[in-house]
């Protein structure tokens, strides 16, 4: 019997992640015995610090095996409120914090709870793809504002203002940014805040990379600016700063009671609550010694300098120095290949996996995202291979 029923039409325009496609191709090559260096994956390669693991193990041993409050444990929510005061100078209460299943779910509950079909959301492009597809899943329309290399991948406020219509309801801000590594200045954030106030917009500010900042860069939270707190949802998490991507703990934070009430109902009816013992680990991360965060940042910085220096020595490639996160957005426009072709070329010829920039939106076309979330030694080896494969490409022409 043939089944005529089809998937929901809202899935028609939601592709399988372009990032995953590269991993699958890399996996195939590995199966054939090829040595692949993965500079694609967006996660730290460090083990989670021991004191965090111990706290989760203890929680399990202590019988913390049941549902927690839908909001998350009070201890963790309190620890997040204290972190916001300590690190960001922001005054939030425990009741302003929802513990979600990763920052990913925090974004998803915010969009589901606050957007109606047809509402427009302003999204940086290129950016982490979830903003686009979480919005699509609720029937909202995403409108891209460009992050261009000539502006160091920074926001140009006039570009945003030009895109606003009566349907615009939300604007996404992500600093430090995935995939470009850009960091928004206080002035840029102020300009976005002014637009948000003028047009009465909700701001979703994803600050998950806030601890990974280099040189003299400073992270500012848009929520700290005048008139912003009640219209902002902060997205934070432990995945990137504490190397806890598999733990799946993130936070949606807002002083707006209506937003919290709407978001918690989405979370309730999707996942009930985040994993209980992982929340105890996350609490140890927030409250425990922070030198592990700095140690990882210093190592990322060493790798960042390596990638920046080596890429710019290769004829045909260039990049600007990322100011935050752990990505370098490499310009490949002089190769005479599209970014997808370049990604496939380096994977097959050099055994190096890098993500085509267009996987992060059309303004990412012509770039490859290089994640320096692999060991220094492997990155060195990858840079040698990329240099050689690039030379070979030009010699062929
Ligand atoms: N926000 C951004 C900008 C990211 O790059 C990522 C992960 N790639 C996330 C959120 C997701 O974080 P989590 O693991 O907490 O879901």
């Amino acid at each position: 019997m043939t089944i005529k029923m089809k998937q929901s039409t809202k899935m028609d325009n939601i592709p399988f992640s372009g990032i995953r496609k590269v991993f699958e191709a890399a996996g195939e090559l590995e199966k054939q015995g090829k040595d692949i260096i993965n500079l694609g994956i967006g996660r730290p390669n460090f083990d989670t610090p021991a004191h965090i693991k111990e706290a989760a193990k203890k929680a399990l041993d202590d019988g913390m095996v049941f549902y927690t409050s839908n909001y998350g444990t009070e201890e963790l929510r309190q620890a997040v409120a204290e972190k916001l005061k300590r690190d960001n100078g922001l005054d939030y209460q425990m009741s302003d914090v929802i513990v979600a299943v990763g920052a990913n779910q925090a974004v998803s509950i915010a969009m589901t709870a606050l957007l109606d079909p047809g509402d427009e959301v302003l999204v940086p492009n290129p950016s982490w793809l979830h903003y686009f597809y979480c919005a699509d899943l609720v029937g909202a329309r995403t409108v891209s504002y460009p992050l261009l290399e000539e502006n160091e991948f920074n926001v140009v406020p006039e570009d945003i203002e030009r895109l606003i219509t009566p349907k615009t309801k939300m604007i996404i801000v992500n600093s430090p940014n995935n995939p470009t590594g850009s960091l928004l200045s206080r002035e840029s954030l102020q300009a976005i805040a002014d637009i948000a106030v003028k047009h009465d917009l909700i701001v979703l500010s994803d600050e998950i990379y806030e601890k990974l900042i280099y040189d003299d860069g400073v992270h500012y939270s848009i929520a700290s600016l005048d008139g912003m707190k009640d219209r902002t949802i902060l997205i934070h998490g432990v995945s990137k700063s504490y190397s806890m991507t598999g733990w799946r703990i993130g936070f949606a934070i807002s002083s707006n009671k209506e937003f919290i009430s709407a978001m918690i109902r989405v979370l309730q009816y999707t996942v009930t609550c985040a994993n209980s013992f992982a929340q105890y680990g996350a609490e140890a991360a927030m409250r425990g010694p922070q030198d592990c965060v700095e140690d990882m940042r210093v190592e990322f910085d060493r790798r960042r300098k390596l990638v920046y220096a080596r890429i710019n020595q290769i004829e045909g490639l260039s990049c600007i120095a990322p100011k935050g996160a752990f990505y370098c957005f490499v310009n490949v426009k002089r190769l005479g290949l599209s970014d997808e072709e370049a990604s496939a070329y380096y994977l097959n010829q050099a055994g190096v996996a890098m993500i085509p920039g267009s996987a992060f939106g059309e303004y990412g076309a012509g770039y490859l995202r290089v994640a320096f979330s692999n060991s220094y030694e492997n990155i060195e080896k990858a840079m040698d291979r990329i240099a050689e494969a690039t030379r070979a490409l030009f010699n062929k022409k």
Side-chain angles (χ1 to χ4, degrees):
M1 197 176 71
T2 51
I3 297 176
K4 294 206 190 72
M5 276 166 312
K6 292 259 190 293
Q7 66 177 20
S8 153
T9 50
K10 70 175 173 297
M11 296 313 295
D12 292 351
N13 295 320
I14 300 190
F16 194 73
S17 161
I19 299 182
R20 294 283 144 193
K21 275 190 214 155
V22 176
F23 295 154
E24 276 168 25
E28 278 308 310
L29 290 172
E30 273 174 336
K31 265 192 229 154
Q32 295 163 20
K34 290 227 170 125
D35 171 31
I36 305 293
I37 302 174
N38 195 334
L39 301 185
I41 197 152
R43 65 149 171 79
N45 61 320
F46 308 106
D47 196 2
T48 302
H51 69 280
I52 299 174
K53 287 182 167 183
E54 284 310 318
K57 287 185 208 166
K58 182 170 181 311
L60 264 178
D61 289 342
D62 289 349
M64 302 302 179
V65 295
F66 303 110
Y67 298 129
T68 66
S69 152
N70 296 144
Y71 292 92
T73 68
E74 290 202 355
E75 296 89 332
L76 176 54
R77 296 163 71 210
Q78 186 60 40
V80 173
E82 285 166 21
K83 169 247 157 328
L84 291 167
K85 181 76 191 163
R86 183 179 69 227
D87 296 350
N88 312 95
L90 294 169
D91 286 310
Y92 282 95
Q93 312 293 318
M94 187 261 289
S95 54
D96 301 332
V97 179
I98 292 177
V99 181
V101 182
N104 190 342
Q105 200 213 5
V107 170
S108 162
I109 60 171
M111 290 203 175
T112 308
L114 304 176
L115 297 173
D116 281 310
D119 283 345
E120 291 178 7
V121 189
L122 291 166
V123 182
N125 186 330
S127 76
W128 187 49
L129 277 182
H130 295 232
Y131 308 132
F132 293 103
Y133 297 123
C134 284
D136 277 357
L137 282 171
V138 298
R141 206 171 86 80
T142 53
V143 177
S144 290
Y145 65 88
L147 303 181
L148 303 177
E149 188 177 11
E150 60 252 42
N151 304 322
E152 299 200 336
F153 300 114
N154 258 296
V155 173
V156 176
E158 296 75 40
D159 284 345
I160 297 182
E161 185 121 44
R162 214 175 299 128
L163 296 168
I164 289 176
T165 74
K167 293 197 165 159
T168 311
K169 187 163 184 193
M170 180 183 276
I171 174 162
I172 311 287
V173 178
N174 172 220
S175 176
N177 174 265
N178 173 13
T180 66
S182 67
L183 176 71
L184 293 184
S185 65
R186 200 173 188 287
E187 292 69 39
S188 299
L189 289 167
Q190 185 62 61
I192 298 169
D194 291 344
I195 293 171
V197 171
K198 181 170 158 199
H199 298 276
D200 192 22
L201 306 178
I202 298 170
V203 173
L204 189 116
S205 180
D206 183 343
E207 304 184 7
I208 192 151
Y209 292 102
E210 67 162 346
K211 301 276 184 182
L212 295 172
I213 291 183
Y214 311 105
D215 299 332
D216 51 359
V218 180
H219 170 78
Y220 294 101
S221 176
I222 198 164
S224 66
L225 304 179
D226 268 1
M228 289 309 293
K229 208 166 154 220
D230 277 351
R231 63 173 70 251
T232 301
I233 297 147
L234 292 179
I235 304 294
H236 274 281
V238 290
S239 283
K240 313 289 176 179
S241 317
Y242 302 95
S243 199
M244 294 174 70
T245 49
W247 293 62
R248 311 309 305 128
I249 298 290
F251 313 110
I253 302 144
S254 183
S255 54
N256 187 314
K257 302 284 171 235
E258 203 178 309
F259 292 177
I260 291 287
S261 155
M263 290 192 289
I264 196 62
R265 282 175 278 149
V266 180
L267 186 139
Q268 250 172 8
Y269 296 122
T270 46
V271 297
T272 305
C273 64
N275 171 298
S276 58
F277 45 92
Q279 291 189 57
Y280 287 88
E283 186 191 335
M286 307 255 106
R287 289 199 193 279
Q290 298 298 306
D291 39 340
C292 54
V293 179
E294 180 58 9
D295 291 348
M296 288 191 258
R297 192 199 67 83
V298 166
E299 176 56 19
F300 276 132
D301 193 21
R302 207 164 75 92
R303 300 173 188 176
R304 175 186 76 110
K305 288 178 175 142
L306 173 68
V307 173
Y308 173 70
R310 293 293 310 272
I311 289 291
N312 285 305
Q313 282 162 9
I314 300 171
E315 187 64 45
L317 302 181
S318 65
C319 64
I320 59 172
K323 297 202 166 84
F326 40 71
Y327 308 106
C328 201
F329 213 47
V330 175
N331 186 323
V332 296
K333 291 177 188 174
R334 281 182 292 147
L335 295 183
L337 302 174
S338 72
D339 53 303
E340 283 176 342
E341 289 164 344
S343 168
Y345 176 74
Y346 286 118
L347 181 60
N348 291 304
Q349 296 300 312
V352 180
M354 298 173 284
I355 311 296
S358 54
F360 304 95
E362 66 271 28
Y363 290 104
Y367 296 85
L368 292 177
R369 188 188 75 173
V370 176
F372 31 99
S373 49
N374 206 319
S375 71
Y376 193 89
E377 294 65 36
N378 279 343
I379 295 174
E380 268 185 321
K381 211 176 350 158
M383 292 300 135
D384 290 343
R385 293 188 192 177
I386 292 169
E388 200 185 312
T390 312
R391 264 195 306 274
L393 182 70
F394 282 118
N395 287 341
K396 253 192 272 166
K397 285 190 178 163

